[in-house]
Amino acid sequence: MTITGSLANALSGLTAASRAAELVSSNVANSMTPGYGRREISLAARHIGDGTPAGVNVTGVRREVDMGIVQDRCLADAAVGHDSALAGFHRDLEAILGTPDSAGSLSGHLARFEASLIEATSRPDSQARLAAVLQSAQDVVGKLNRASDAVQDIRMKADAAIGTQVRQINDGLGRVENLNYEIKEALARGQDASPLLDQRQQAIDSISAIVPMKQVNRGHGMIALFSTGGAILLDGRAATVGFSPAGVIVPEMTRAGGALSGLTVNGFAVGTGPGRSPLGGGTLGAAFELRDRLAPEAQTRLDAVARDLVARFQDPGVDPSRAPGAAGLFTDSGAAFSSVDEVALSARIEVNARADPGRGGALWRLRDGLGAAVPGTAGNSALLRDLTDALGNERVPASGGFLGVARSANGLTADFLSLVSAARLHAEGAQSFSVAQQDSLTEAELNAGVDTDHEMQKLMLIEQAYAANARVITTVDAMLDALMSL
């Protein structure tokens, strides 16, 4: 080998070692960067025209990523987002109703109302005890009103979240589309597209929790994105997802009734129900479940509890002083309840104004009858006993999807809370499973990523190779000096 050939070999080796050291430093610096793919240098022997080795060529940079693990982790992100949203709703609903051991719970208010009736029965002449009956009755309806408002607030937040997530999807798909073409162009020029590939994966990760999706290689560095429900999100051009936020939601507003917006993909309506939505399975699908199924179901049961309470005291056998068809102690916005107008009853229920001194009524009507014109005997406790019995009598709920078993008012409330608690436990179990799966896949992805110990070992080998090539150059320089001195 000639001196010139030796010098060329050493110089190419220095170039390759320098590039390899640069990649090691990049790997170590980005070991904790989400979406970063480990870089590995690609080398090939260089030959001159007669096949004689003439050093080494850097043929490119490989981005080492296990896409199988990455895609499974993205699906796990969507599952965690979906299950966490549902578990959060059930926890919130349980807190809205309150557990029996909490003073502000619905069952606690009903228990205090029943206790106040019993106490007033023993002293029907006591204004203080009649006032306690009124106050506890108002506490019950106030709790139902607040619970209904809270459920509708959940629906409004879910509707707003849908609008936000749709914008995020459209923005994310647009970024992936642009990066697809930039990657294709970089590869066509022979440039390293690894930074662009990292950016594209980060863009996909930013929307993977919203809609579960799969990546399909389309060649030349480009990919297509399909939701697990079968929607084409990106194949050449990004799809456009459409949604119109409602802003204000009341119990009467439903998706089926056309008052609330659904989803469109490129202008075509798609389903949003659980189990059949092309865009379901992530946080977007969970938001639709909250807005259109779970929260309305909770509202229906609240209305059923309110109906049961109103019907107990509106029964013709309770308080004969009332005119036929007149409202009882609990009313529908001051009027008698009609079974055809049950929707949002929990938001409208209130105590009859005829028993409320603050609205022109009188406390003695709790003892003598809502239809009484003048006070009766102060010691007469018959009506108060009837009111107590009406609250404790076991009745089959007329609505709400409860089991057809007779219950007292407190029993119905307890069953409602039991259903909510059971749903919470089930949702939290699903959430725990999806979080554990996400953690294991994230760990597997990290294990397949940058190993700093391995990178340091590579750096030592690179250093040795660099020193050896530098030694060759030093030796060639000494030989040339010797030849020149001759």
Side-chain angles (χ1 to χ4, degrees):
M1 178 179 291
T2 65
I3 292 178
T4 304
S6 298
L7 185 60
N9 285 344
L11 287 173
S12 68
L14 286 176
T15 301
S18 176
R19 182 66 174 132
E22 180 184 345
L23 292 180
V24 167
S25 67
S26 176
N27 287 342
V28 173
N30 290 280
S31 60
M32 301 299 292
T33 302
Y36 179 82
R38 188 179 77 253
R39 309 309 199 243
E40 294 289 347
I41 193 169
S42 296
L43 303 174
R46 186 171 66 187
H47 301 275
I48 57 178
D50 61 356
T52 304
V56 63
N57 272 335
V58 177
T59 59
V61 176
R62 303 189 313 275
R63 182 175 180 269
E64 298 291 341
V65 174
D66 189 333
M67 287 307 300
I69 293 178
V70 170
Q71 295 207 55
D72 287 344
R73 192 262 306 154
C74 287
L75 294 177
D77 289 345
V80 168
H82 178 272
D83 295 341
S84 297
L86 298 190
F89 166 78
H90 291 297
R91 283 193 294 269
D92 290 345
L93 182 58
E94 188 176 53
I96 289 168
L97 296 177
T99 54
D101 57 340
S102 62
S105 66
L106 179 58
S107 57
H109 285 306
L110 273 173
R112 282 191 293 277
F113 176 50
E114 184 174 20
S116 68
L117 283 172
I118 294 173
E119 290 176 358
T121 300
S122 64
R123 284 288 307 277
D125 60 318
S126 171
Q127 291 292 302
R129 296 194 180 188
L130 293 177
V133 172
L134 176 64
Q135 182 60 56
S136 58
Q138 290 173 334
D139 290 343
V140 171
V141 300
K143 180 64 176 179
L144 287 170
N145 297 158
R146 292 191 299 274
S148 177
D149 291 342
V151 169
Q152 297 313 306
D153 185 59
I154 289 174
R155 294 184 75 197
M156 286 190 287
K157 288 180 179 178
D159 189 78
I162 293 170
T164 300
Q165 292 175 37
V166 166
R167 288 194 297 273
Q168 291 174 345
I169 291 173
N170 288 328
D171 292 343
L173 292 177
R175 289 198 301 272
V176 175
E177 178 187 348
N178 293 333
L179 287 166
N180 257 352
Y181 289 109
E182 290 179 21
I183 291 167
K184 181 180 180 181
E185 185 176 348
L187 293 176
R189 290 199 194 117
Q191 298 174 344
D192 178 17
S194 297
L196 295 174
L197 291 169
D198 289 341
Q199 292 179 38
R200 186 175 68 185
Q201 188 58 53
Q202 289 167 2
I204 294 171
D205 289 347
S206 70
I207 59 175
S208 63
I210 300 175
V211 176
M213 61 186 71
K214 282 283 191 179
Q215 304 178 35
V216 177
N217 188 4
R218 289 303 194 207
H220 305 290
M222 301 183 72
I223 62 169
L225 295 176
F226 299 90
S227 74
T228 55
I232 302 174
L233 300 176
L234 171 70
D235 197 359
R237 295 189 63 84
T240 300
V241 182
F243 174 76
S244 299
V248 176
I249 297 179
V250 295
E252 293 82 1
M253 296 172 64
T254 63
R255 168 80 177 89
L260 298 176
S261 172
L263 284 178
T264 61
V265 176
N266 291 331
F268 295 95
V270 297
T272 57
R276 58 184 179 86
S277 173
L279 300 181
T283 55
L284 182 63
F288 272 104
E289 286 191 58
L290 296 185
R291 191 196 71 174
D292 298 337
R293 184 176 68 87
L294 295 177
E297 183 180 275
Q299 181 68 50
T300 298
R301 286 178 171 159
L302 278 171
D303 294 340
V305 170
R307 175 179 179 172
D308 178 77
L309 190 61
V310 171
R312 288 175 182 275
F313 295 94
Q314 192 172 298
D315 189 289
V318 178
D319 188 2
S321 69
R322 293 182 293 118
L329 179 60
F330 296 102
T331 71
D332 183 355
S333 295
F337 167 71
S338 172
S339 60
V340 298
D341 195 21
E342 182 178 341
V343 177
L345 176 62
S346 57
R348 303 190 306 269
I349 186 174
E350 61 181 46
V351 177
N352 198 315
R354 292 183 63 79
D356 184 0
R359 294 187 291 164
L363 288 175
W364 52 262
R365 286 197 175 93
L366 292 172
R367 178 192 64 218
D368 301 322
L370 294 171
V374 294
T377 304
N380 183 10
S381 63
L383 178 57
L384 289 169
R385 285 196 302 271
D386 289 344
L387 294 178
T388 305
D389 292 342
L391 191 64
N393 288 339
E394 295 190 345
R395 299 164 54 103
V396 177
S399 58
F402 295 101
L403 293 177
V405 178
R407 316 166 170 78
S408 65
N410 269 313
L412 182 61
T413 303
D415 282 354
F416 184 13
L417 180 61
S418 178
L419 290 172
V420 173
S421 299
R424 175 185 59 80
L425 291 173
H426 177 76
E428 288 180 343
Q431 180 189 20
S432 297
F433 174 80
S434 57
V435 168
Q437 186 180 47
Q438 182 194 45
D439 289 344
S440 63
L441 289 168
T442 301
E443 184 177 356
E445 184 179 3
L446 292 174
N447 289 337
V450 177
D451 184 344
T452 53
D453 291 337
H454 177 65
E455 296 297 324
M456 291 299 100
Q457 292 173 7
K458 283 200 305 181
L459 188 59
M460 293 176 63
L461 296 176
I462 292 168
E463 182 183 3
Q464 294 173 7
Y466 192 93
N469 283 290
R471 180 65 176 172
V472 170
I473 293 176
T474 303
T475 302
V476 169
D477 181 61
M479 292 174 64
L480 289 174
D481 286 344
L483 288 173
M484 293 298 292
S485 67
L486 292 175

